Amino acid sequence: MTSTEALPTATGPAIAERHLLLNMTANGSIGAPGRDLFVVTRGEGPYVHDADGRRYIDGLSGLYCAQLGYGYAAEFAEAARRQLGELCYSPLWSSSAHPTALALADRLADLAPEGVAYTFFSGGGAEAVETAWKIARKYHALRGEPGRTKAIARRGAYHGLTLGALSFTDDPGLTQPYGPPAVTTRFIADTNRGRLPEPLDDAAFTELLLTDVEAALLDEGPETVAMLIAEPVQNRGGCIPPPAGYWQGLRRLADRYGFLLAADEVITAFGRLGEWFGGDRYGARPDLITLAKGLTAGYAPMGATMISTRVADVLNRPGEVLNHGYTFGGHPLCAAIALRSIEIIERDGILAGVRGGQDHLAKRLAELSALPIVADIRGEGFFHAIELAGDGERGAFSEPLRAALIRDLIPRRLREAGLLARVYDRAAPLVQIAPPLISDRDLLDRVVDIIGATLDEATTHLPTA
């Protein structure tokens, strides 16, 4: 078979059952009642269509990566055609480069926070995180501190599934099957103020969080810590933003104790929060930045790790070798797609569109707080989560209600109403949205209306007091 047209859609589930292993999926349950294979066949604008011809709002931008939706295919195809016509492959290996990767590295340096000027390309987000870790280790070793072998990450965070990145991921269900972590990691408090026993203002909350970070550093031994990694807005646990002053405080601690500060921007960069880099919204000044997803707007796979000049100056000492690499890092086709995506974001005012629509989206979502099933609503830009309250202690869901609502009714009703959103209950019971950055107010209203109607129905299944 050479095209999707040659594949009868009816054979899709059978092929998956026999030949395809899906990511993060109970593959053996595909085809069981309520576990049909969802086959997406095409996209247009902010919508995708399934194999039965039904249209859905892509409320999660694929997997936080289809920043521009699906309406720019012709432009990306032309960029791909031109690149493949000139050069289909050349590695960034052993003093060899190609013009498209050079142009992309130069463009990213223009957009990056002050002091961040170098890029190491990879194939995706987890590889970008692996690279950040290896660069941190190399940097400290070259400076005469090889004993910096530990990392710090936040509780509940997700940073990827390769063995190094998995070390920084706080989820026993993902980590325990693979044995001890490759990197010794200390987990610190996340920035979810909803877990506080009593409300705190930003200044007090930031002080509490930074005190926790410093205590962890002192307990581990500051001279043993190579890197602290955090997302500007933490994805896992439900779009958790930081309080004012938090990132500035992390910078002060990094400077005081000598570790490198890494901002995981795999999700938050390229407009998700209305900025090229989400950390810019909070005044972050990281040493390392990890990128993927929105870098190519989902039109090609690519990752990147950006590095400050201060760190690169150590790596670039005469005679030193950066003994790390990926065969497809900086692939010409992917680099051409990334350059075109950046061009479109600039030309079509995508960042301004997010800034103009974010307050409207937040206001509409806030209306849902009146529903008894809603425990909290949080997020920034076009990246929000609704944490749900159930029938258990402190609002947790009992297992029967969790199965009935979180795993069945809510995701089913959202999809029946034509919305793809994330409904999950690992770190917290959540409905999460990250709509394409091209979404207008009418579409955002439709997203919120569907979620509201669905949660209203779910509320009727909660036990009454």
Side-chain angles (χ1 to χ4, degrees), residues 2-167:
T2 58
S3 70
T4 55
E5 289 80 4
L7 176 64
T9 56
T11 68
I15 289 174
E17 184 178 350
R18 294 196 302 267
H19 303 299
L20 178 65
L21 290 175
L22 301 171
N23 296 232
M24 302 289 285
T25 300
N27 285 279
S29 300
I30 296 296
R35 294 299 309 276
D36 293 336
L37 185 69
F38 181 62
V39 179
V40 176
T41 57
R42 66 185 181 91
E44 57 175 6
Y47 304 98
V48 294
H49 295 249
D50 70 12
D52 296 321
R54 291 199 61 195
R55 189 177 79 165
Y56 305 84
I57 299 170
D58 185 3
L60 206 63
S61 296
L63 198 58
Y64 318 105
C65 56
Q67 310 289 69
L68 300 171
Y70 304 89
Y72 290 92
E75 286 197 59
F76 282 107
E78 172 56 25
R81 184 202 64 77
R82 184 179 305 164
Q83 179 60 57
L84 294 176
E86 294 175 358
L87 179 68
C88 69
Y89 176 76
S90 185
L92 303 181
W93 206 276
S94 187
S95 302
S96 175
H98 59 83
T100 318
L102 291 168
L104 179 56
D106 191 50
R107 193 72 188 92
L108 289 172
D110 289 341
L111 301 173
E114 183 178 356
V116 178
Y118 289 80
T119 298
F120 188 98
F121 291 111
S122 56
E127 288 184 359
V129 171
E130 295 271 341
T131 298
W133 171 248
K134 292 179 78 172
I135 284 177
R137 289 280 290 121
K138 181 82 172 179
Y139 167 82
H140 292 301
L142 288 174
R143 296 180 71 250
E145 296 184 279
R148 289 186 179 267
T149 60
K150 299 176 185 177
I152 293 178
R154 294 193 298 211
R155 295 191 193 107
Y158 174 93
H159 294 287
L161 293 176
T162 54
L163 283 177
L166 195 61
S167 301

Side-chain angles (χ1 to χ4, degrees), residues 109-249:
D110 289 341
L111 301 173
E114 183 178 356
V116 178
Y118 289 80
T119 298
F120 188 98
F121 291 111
S122 56
E127 288 184 359
V129 171
E130 295 271 341
T131 298
W133 171 248
K134 292 179 78 172
I135 284 177
R137 289 280 290 121
K138 181 82 172 179
Y139 167 82
H140 292 301
L142 288 174
R143 296 180 71 250
E145 296 184 279
R148 289 186 179 267
T149 60
K150 299 176 185 177
I152 293 178
R154 294 193 298 211
R155 295 191 193 107
Y158 174 93
H159 294 287
L161 293 176
T162 54
L163 283 177
L166 195 61
S167 301
F168 318 132
T169 295
D170 181 29
D171 184 336
L174 299 177
T175 59
Q176 286 180 356
Y178 304 105
V183 180
T184 300
T185 302
R186 174 71 173 260
F187 291 99
I188 56 172
D190 65 29
T191 60
N192 187 351
R193 63 178 71 235
R195 302 285 187 266
L196 296 173
E198 59 184 32
L200 294 176
D201 62 19
D202 272 10
F205 189 34
T206 295
E207 183 179 1
L208 179 68
L209 292 168
L210 296 178
T211 298
D212 179 63
V213 176
E214 188 165 24
L217 282 164
L218 295 175
D219 187 50
E220 294 294 332
E223 72 284 356
T224 70
V225 177
M227 181 180 83
L228 185 152
I229 186 168
E231 297 164 284
V233 173
Q234 184 170 315
N235 172 48
R236 194 171 177 277
C239 303
I240 308 171
Y246 177 74
W247 277 91
Q248 291 85 347

Side-chain angles (χ1 to χ4, degrees), residues 326-400:
Y326 303 106
T327 299
F328 292 108
H331 190 283
L333 174 62
C334 302
I337 294 296
L339 282 167
R340 181 57 57 89
S341 179
I342 291 170
E343 176 189 334
I344 292 170
I345 290 172
E346 277 193 317
R347 183 195 71 202
D348 291 0
I350 300 299
L351 300 186
V354 175
R355 294 171 191 153
Q358 61 186 357
D359 290 344
H360 178 74
L361 177 59
K363 180 180 178 181
R364 287 298 324 279
L365 286 169
E367 296 170 8
L368 305 182
S369 61
L371 294 171
I373 199 171
V374 173
D376 190 23
I377 300 170
R378 54 184 177 262
E380 303 273 17
F382 279 13
F383 188 43
H384 287 266
I386 303 161
E387 184 169 345
L388 306 178
D391 59 339
E393 185 179 355
R394 297 188 66 183
F397 282 79
S398 65
E399 182 55 32

